[in-house]
Amino acid sequence: LSPGGQWLKVAGGGKAAVLAAGVRMAPNRGSILEIGTYCGYSAIRMALARPGVRIVTLEVDPAHMVIARNMIAFAGLAHVVDVWTGHSKDVLHRIPDRYGGADRFKL
């Protein structure tokens, strides 16, 4: 928290560097699951840090989902980042089937 007691959900600055470093250590195949898209910034950073890996991200707020999808499209990454909307308890169980089954997409 900042001295004013506020925080920002976006992983910018030093947090973005840590996120990118962690993602670069992931296997160079498969998918990365993010829960909590907000405006799509982290998904974009992960997609740029690990080309060739699909980013699957969930957002509960439909307004944030629309913003995220537009930001990701503007970044030219809509072909590698999928933004799902809904609560994780309702969506997570559907994801493996969409990406080739539980053998290919493990939660």
Side-chain angles (χ1 to χ4, degrees):
L1 292 174
S2 70
Q6 298 178 0
W7 62 283
L8 184 59
K9 296 186 219 183
V10 176
K15 289 189 277 183
V18 170
L19 177 64
V23 168
R24 283 188 197 104
M25 293 188 299
N28 61 357
R29 65 199 181 298
S31 302
I32 295 174
L33 175 64
E34 173 187 45
I35 299 176
T37 308
Y38 188 45
C39 65
Y41 184 78
S42 296
I44 291 168
R45 295 294 299 226
M46 289 188 286
L48 292 173
R50 205 63 168 132
V53 172
R54 175 153 306 277
I55 309 299
V56 178
T57 183
L58 311 180
E59 177 53 52
V60 71
D61 186 318
H64 291 162
M65 178 272 301
V66 169
I67 293 166
R69 283 185 179 170
N70 281 287
M71 294 297 291
I72 290 162
F74 186 73
L77 295 168
H79 64 290
V80 294
V81 179
D82 294 331
V83 182
W84 290 57
T85 187
H87 194 284
S88 59
K89 71 179 176 59
D90 301 320
V91 175
L92 279 175
H93 71 279
R94 296 185 356 226
I95 290 176
D97 289 339
R98 169 64 172 78
Y99 298 99
D103 293 338
R104 295 197 59 214
F105 197 100
K106 296 181 182 356
L107 294 177

